[in-house]
Amino acid sequence: MRNSFVDTIVAQCHHRDDLMILSGDAGLGVFDTLQKEHPDRFLNCGIAEQHMASFGAGLAMTGVKVVLYNIIPFLLYRCYEQVRNDICDQNLPVVLAGIGSGVTFAPAGISHYAVEDIALARTLPNLTVISPADPVEARAAARYALAADTPVYVRMARSGEREMGPDHDIDITAPRVIRKGTDVAIVFHGSIGDEVMAARDLLAEVGISPRVISVPMLQPLPYRQLCEALQDVQAVLSVEEHFSDSGLGATVQSLRALESPSWSLRILGIPRDGALSLVGDRNTLREAFSISARHIRDEVAALFQGGSHGM
């Protein structure tokens, strides 16, 4: 997913002379081609994250289209003030390319996890937030971010996530129905999609076919389109590799409170009760947080069998 996003950005350097990529000493290998072909378009700012954000804002004010690339905690957390004041408050068209969504960097520990970044990003003025689930969405997110005249935050994993649907132009601003289904819908965003798809395969073995919907744009959330995508289901399961009380699930809960739809809601996400003190690889943590394919399968099966046991 990360490489698909970066390759789309780098390819545009052949056609645009206003692009500049700044890195906070991260992911240097993925920019080898760029540094070879366009050495003046890439600058490693080192481990000086606040400086990188402010420097990028200054470049953007001169008409440069800036992409800031870093691991999410060092792109958004460490320099929150600079992103807020220098980029977002001034509504500058800077692309914040964040790597390591959720617990991608397990077992590096909590310093490298991005499980509350959506909550923080949604507090920032003028900022669009996109969480692509596969390479198709990553490429679409890159195209959207490059064309935007406002700041855009794209949060990604770093692995080779498989494509979940046809590789054609998609509307990154709208929910994407990955698989059709009835009665129960699974809505998700980001790299947890691999667990969702694995769960659907397990459910297919027992004749259960939930609708699977990716919601890549989280701010602004496409309320109307999401309501339409969920119009004829009885229950919705929201799944994410993010704190459950401040990401997609919480937003869908707000939508439900406003619109009073007929479907019930269950939310699977990372709890706040000290769970991040656990150490392990990503699969171990997903299992511990009850967001693995097995847990998703069990929740969907319960919704099919029990009707509306959700919220």
Side-chain angles (χ1 to χ4, degrees):
M1 185 192 312
R2 172 193 63 179
N3 288 356
S4 297
F5 180 89
V6 170
D7 289 348
T8 302
I9 298 290
V10 170
Q12 287 301 306
C13 288
H14 301 303
H15 310 290
R16 297 177 55 166
D17 58 7
D18 63 335
L19 282 178
M20 184 75 181
I21 292 87
L22 306 182
S23 169
D25 209 34
L28 303 184
V30 299
F31 294 108
D32 285 349
T33 299
L34 175 64
Q35 293 182 75
K36 180 179 179 180
E37 297 179 356
H38 300 282
D40 58 334
R41 304 292 189 85
F42 178 83
L43 178 64
N44 179 13
C45 295
I47 50 173
E49 292 83 0
Q50 292 96 333
H51 165 72
M52 182 179 77
S54 295
F55 183 61
L59 285 175
M61 292 178 73
T62 69
V64 177
K65 183 67 178 185
V66 178
V67 178
L68 303 182
Y69 179 97
N70 212 338
I71 298 172
I72 290 172
F74 312 123
L75 176 72
L76 187 60
Y77 300 174
R78 184 171 292 177
C79 49
Y80 178 88
E81 179 184 1
Q82 286 72 29
V83 171
R84 175 181 181 268
N85 296 347
D86 298 344
I87 296 173
C88 293
D89 185 61
Q90 299 188 82
N91 204 21
L92 296 173
V94 173
V95 181
L96 305 171
I99 308 303
S101 57
V103 292
T104 294
F105 283 103
I110 191 170
S111 65
H112 281 59
Y113 296 164
V115 295
E116 66 274 90
D117 59 307
I118 295 170
L120 286 174
R122 292 184 66 212
T123 69
L124 293 167
N126 306 310
L127 183 64
T128 298
V129 180
I130 302 174
S131 186
D134 71 350
V136 173
E137 292 183 4
R139 287 188 284 270
R143 292 191 293 268
Y144 177 93
L146 287 176
D149 57 5
T150 56
V152 178
Y153 170 47
V154 183
R155 59 189 304 277
M156 295 166 280
R158 61 170 178 169
S159 304
E161 292 78 16
R162 64 173 179 168
E163 294 187 357
M164 299 180 187
D167 186 4
H168 56 72
D169 289 343
I170 63 171
D171 182 359
I172 199 67
T173 69
R176 176 187 177 206
V177 178
I178 305 294
R179 295 288 188 274
K180 295 180 180 180
T182 58
D183 297 325
V184 175
I186 307 173
V187 297
F188 73 98
H189 66 91
S191 59
I192 198 65
D194 58 358
E195 300 285 352
V196 171
M197 298 304 289
R200 196 181 192 279
D201 291 342
L202 293 173
L203 289 161
E205 296 175 1
V206 294
I208 297 176
S209 299
R211 187 174 307 168
V212 177
I213 303 172
S214 172
V215 186
M217 182 167 285
L218 302 173
Q219 177 169 289
L221 187 78
Y223 282 96
R224 179 180 58 80
Q225 295 98 320
L226 186 54
C227 284
E228 291 174 356
L230 298 173
Q231 192 169 27
D232 56 349
V233 299
Q234 298 176 11
V236 174
L237 176 67
S238 174
V239 185
E240 59 192 320
E241 197 171 272
H242 187 275
F243 279 152
S244 59
D245 63 355
S246 55
L248 173 65
T251 307
V252 174
Q253 191 172 27
S254 297
L255 179 153
R256 185 169 178 267
L258 289 170
E259 301 294 332
S260 299
S262 59
W263 40 264
S264 62
L265 175 65
R266 282 281 292 142
I267 299 173
L268 290 185
I270 297 175
R272 287 184 181 270
D273 57 356
L276 290 180
S277 61
L278 297 174
V279 177
D281 61 22
R282 188 180 67 172
N283 291 337
T284 299
L285 293 179
R286 284 178 170 179
E287 187 69 25
F289 300 149
S290 299
I291 55 175
S292 68
R294 179 177 68 86
H295 288 94
I296 298 168
R297 176 202 62 191
D298 292 348
E299 289 287 345
V300 172
L303 289 171
F304 265 96
Q305 295 166 6
S308 59
H309 90 286
M311 300 174 67

